[in-house]
Amino acid sequence: MALTTPPRPHDILELFPALTGLARPAVRLHPRPGRPGVHDSSVAGPLLWPEEEPWPVCALEHEDVSDEAFDHIVALRDHVQDPDRCTAHGERVDMGAEHRRMHERRLEHASDNAPQPLIPVAQLYYKDVPGLPFADRYELLQILWCPRDHPDTETPYNPEFQLRWRRTSEINGLLLDPPRPAVASSSYVPNTCVVQPETVTEYPQTLLLPEPLRKSISIWEERTGNAYTWDAALAPGWKTMGHGGYWGIYDPFPMLCECGTEQLPLFTAASGEFDGGTQSWQPIEEAGTGWALADPVEVVIGRGYTLQLYYCPESEQHANRAVMF
């Protein structure tokens, strides 16, 4: 089912025509629980992965305070969705025994510094998600991350991304059973979701606007009680491109590539699809569902923040950067 963002509460371009040149298209992914296949765009679904290509691992230092056995995280999610699920022998799953077994496995691997396999975060086919970069060369973008805290990285205490840009015609045999990490932080293990991509228009948040325009919008907000950023500028939730997430922890700064080019938002991993300030973005088709679909992915970044991935428009070979805000 296609999901549609309601019309914005205000015609922001009519109010502030100077925003016209600052508009960017973003694609809301609208992830919802489902069973995607390797030929589908998805969040945390199976990847179209060449069988001859090694599965990526993370060799960085990890903080293991919040780690649990990965299989236990998945089993617990399955149990919540289906409390009466059974084993292959028709017996009801004993979650108490399952928990004890997985806790033992977690202790077994807690001090293991061996490289850990990454997990899929998103698979995005260009035919489904318009506007992805380097469309003259690629048809598929795959995003993975290490689902553990990394204390010594540029964006510490967060997952670490890896990307693969692909042409599907170059993939022959498929890797059908990729390795799984022994342990992970449950906050970084997304639920498997299908996506219903929808293109919307975004504008910069207030702090990134030219001073005269920012002042005009601030006066309008004070006079009317409206919220430019939450109601008009930035779509919440999991998305691609656009102006990315909201800089809320600290003031914005340019995300510069090592080549000197300013990097642009590529992929936004959010702690939920909407909250009390952004509920006006809830799809029309899900009106009346309250908070039931506010967090289908169940990823938590920091204390409910956003992890924004950037790319260099000069080359996909240049290192990507990420920031939490």
Side-chain angles (χ1 to χ4, degrees):
M1 176 181 70
L3 296 179
T4 311
T5 298
R8 296 299 76 219
H10 312 282
D11 187 338
I12 206 69
L13 287 184
E14 182 178 346
L15 291 167
F16 305 103
L19 285 169
T20 302
L22 303 176
R24 288 182 188 170
V27 180
R28 302 187 70 191
L29 296 176
H30 294 306
R32 299 295 184 269
R35 297 182 179 276
V38 296
H39 297 289
D40 299 318
S41 294
S42 65
V43 165
L47 303 184
L48 189 78
W49 196 271
E51 63 179 346
E52 75 278 2
E53 182 177 325
W55 188 262
V57 298
C58 179
L60 300 173
E61 181 181 350
H62 298 112
E63 171 65 72
D64 64 6
V65 171
S66 62
D67 287 347
E68 303 174 60
F70 180 80
D71 289 342
H72 173 58
I73 296 170
V74 174
L76 184 58
R77 298 272 181 92
D78 289 344
H79 178 71
V80 170
Q81 294 178 7
D82 182 9
D84 295 320
R85 69 189 180 94
C86 298
T87 67
H89 305 290
E91 301 168 343
R92 186 171 175 174
V93 174
D94 183 345
M95 285 306 296
E98 180 88 350
H99 179 78
R100 290 190 294 272
R101 182 172 70 85
M102 292 303 178
H103 180 65
E104 291 172 358
R105 190 176 181 207
R106 188 262 182 205
L107 293 176
E108 176 186 346
H109 291 279
S111 60
D112 185 359
N113 290 320
Q116 293 283 295
L118 274 59
I119 63 173
V121 174
Q123 174 164 268
L124 306 174
Y125 283 90
Y126 281 53
K127 62 181 175 61
D128 300 324
V129 184
L132 290 174
F134 314 120
D136 59 327
R137 300 194 291 282
Y138 300 108
E139 304 162 312
L140 176 62
L141 171 61
Q142 295 170 329
I143 302 173
L144 306 91
W145 70 23
C146 175
R148 302 177 70 183
D149 279 322
H150 300 80
D152 297 324
T153 55
E154 183 180 22
T155 307
Y157 297 98
N158 271 293
E160 278 291 303
F161 288 105
Q162 288 193 32
L163 276 65
R164 297 294 187 274
W165 311 81
R166 300 195 186 280
R167 294 192 62 83
T168 56
S169 60
E170 297 174 355
I171 301 175
N172 296 314
L174 298 181
L175 179 65
L176 300 178
D177 187 21
R180 294 148 67 100
V183 295
S185 168
S186 62
S187 295
Y188 306 146
V189 179
N191 292 330
T192 301
C193 292
V194 296
V195 296
Q196 297 89 17
E198 177 200 17
T199 302
V200 298
T201 300
E202 291 192 332
Y203 305 95
Q205 69 182 81
T206 310
L207 289 175
L208 293 170
L209 294 173
E211 179 60 28
L213 182 54
R214 178 169 59 185
K215 185 175 181 180
S216 296
I217 290 177
S218 296
I219 292 172
W220 171 76
E221 288 180 320
E222 292 175 6
R223 178 172 53 84
T224 64
N226 296 316
Y228 158 79
T229 296
W230 306 129
D231 287 337
L234 299 177
W238 291 61
K239 60 185 179 179
T240 64
M241 315 305 288
H243 283 280
Y246 173 74
W247 291 78
I249 303 176
Y250 33 73
D251 289 342
F253 58 86
M255 297 296 292
L256 297 179
C257 179
E258 293 178 353
C259 73
T261 302
E262 183 169 356
Q263 296 197 336
L264 300 174
L266 175 63
F267 179 76
T268 307
S271 300
E273 283 293 279
F274 61 85
D275 57 23
T278 56
Q279 199 167 3
S280 72
W281 294 84
Q282 187 174 15
I284 294 172
E285 295 79 4
E286 295 176 349
T289 58
W291 298 98
L293 297 172
D295 190 15
V297 182
E298 292 192 277
V299 158
V300 180
I301 302 298
R303 297 180 179 178
Y305 302 132
T306 293
L307 190 60
Q308 181 65 55
L309 177 64
Y310 292 82
Y311 78 101
C312 178
E314 291 298 315
S315 174
E316 74 278 18
Q317 301 300 325
H318 293 184
N320 301 96
R321 296 186 65 189
V323 65
M324 178 181 71
F325 40 53

